[in-house]
């Protein structure tokens, strides 16, 4: 995931088989990214013309990736200021010419929107930030990981299946 040559090969292979875009999962904790080096490399490599989008893995960083909160290494916290800081920190990707859009809107997945106590206020901040920074209204997608809920309940636009944790 950090080799430019391998990323170019993966992109070419994907395109040969009709895959138009990659979705990168990443962690973001109060301004700190984890697992973002491959995203930076992909986004900044002009030899790759495959689209990409982001999926915020908005859960605690734990010793085991089972979605449970045992042995937390980094806690995911939700504050009013985090909503704005989050969208500001991914603006560089939303502005990227390779960023995946749906009907002209940048696609942003959130792994567990049900974990965000006041998700609708986050959505409002994100949409206002984009509007005020010449970014199209984000096309927000929840995953059906652990819980499947109508995306309208979050003020999201869609839901996507997310194996192996589909409900």
């Amino acid at each position: 995931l950090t080799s430019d040559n391998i990323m170019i090969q993966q992109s070419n292979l994907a395109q040969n088989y009709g895959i138009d875009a990659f979705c990168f999962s990443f962690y973001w904790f109060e301004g700190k990214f984890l697992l973002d080096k491959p995203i930076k490399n992909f986004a900044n490599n002009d030899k790759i013309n495959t689209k990409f989008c982001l999926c915020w893995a908005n859960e605690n960083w734990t010793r085991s990736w089972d979605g449970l909160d045992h042995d937390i290494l980094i806690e995911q916290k939700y504050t009013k200021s985090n909503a704005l800081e989050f969208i500001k920190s991914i603006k560089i990707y939303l502005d990227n010419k390779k960023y995946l859009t749906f009907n002209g809107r940048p696609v942003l997945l959130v792994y567990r929107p049900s974990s965000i106590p006041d998700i609708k206020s986050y959505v409002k901040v994100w949409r206002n930030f984009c509007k005020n920074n010449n970014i199209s209204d984000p096309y927000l997608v929840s995953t059906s990981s652990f819980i499947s809920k109508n995306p309208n309940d979050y003020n999201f636009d869609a839901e996507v299946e997310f194996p192996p944790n589909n409900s």
Side-chain angles (χ1 to χ4, degrees), residues 53-72:
C53 67
L54 299 176
C55 178
W56 178 24
N58 65 310
E59 62 183 357
N60 294 324
W61 183 271
T62 61
R63 288 202 189 279
S64 63
W65 291 329
D66 57 8
L68 304 176
D69 288 331
H70 304 295
D71 212 2
I72 295 172

Side-chain angles (χ1 to χ4, degrees), residues 1-12 22 37-49 98:
L1 291 174
T2 58
S3 167
D4 286 345
N5 289 334
I6 297 297
M7 286 186 133
I8 292 167
Q9 290 173 15
Q10 288 174 332
S11 173
N12 292 338
F22 291 123
K37 187 173 182 181
I39 303 168
K40 287 179 186 175
N41 291 350
F42 192 93
N44 295 325
N45 190 325
D46 291 333
K47 294 179 182 175
I48 297 173
N49 56 14
K98 292 186 282 191

Side-chain angles (χ1 to χ4, degrees), residues 34-114:
L34 294 177
L35 301 179
D36 64 321
K37 187 173 182 181
I39 303 168
K40 287 179 186 175
N41 291 350
F42 192 93
N44 295 325
N45 190 325
D46 291 333
K47 294 179 182 175
I48 297 173
N49 56 14
T50 302
K51 299 284 185 184
F52 75 98
C53 67
L54 299 176
C55 178
W56 178 24
N58 65 310
E59 62 183 357
N60 294 324
W61 183 271
T62 61
R63 288 202 189 279
S64 63
W65 291 329
D66 57 8
L68 304 176
D69 288 331
H70 304 295
D71 212 2
I72 295 172
L73 301 175
I74 304 174
E75 182 182 5
Q76 184 67 258
K77 297 177 183 172
Y78 301 104
T79 66
K80 288 185 179 188
S81 63
N82 278 352
L84 182 58
E85 291 308 312
F86 172 78
I87 197 71
K88 279 183 177 180
S89 69
I90 64 166
K91 180 183 184 302
I92 189 168
Y93 300 116
L94 300 177
D95 283 338
N96 189 290
K97 66 183 180 202
K98 292 186 282 191
Y99 199 84
L100 179 68
T101 61
F102 180 77
N103 291 334
R105 299 167 63 193
V107 175
L108 175 61
L109 283 77
V110 178
Y111 182 61
R112 294 177 86 169
S114 61

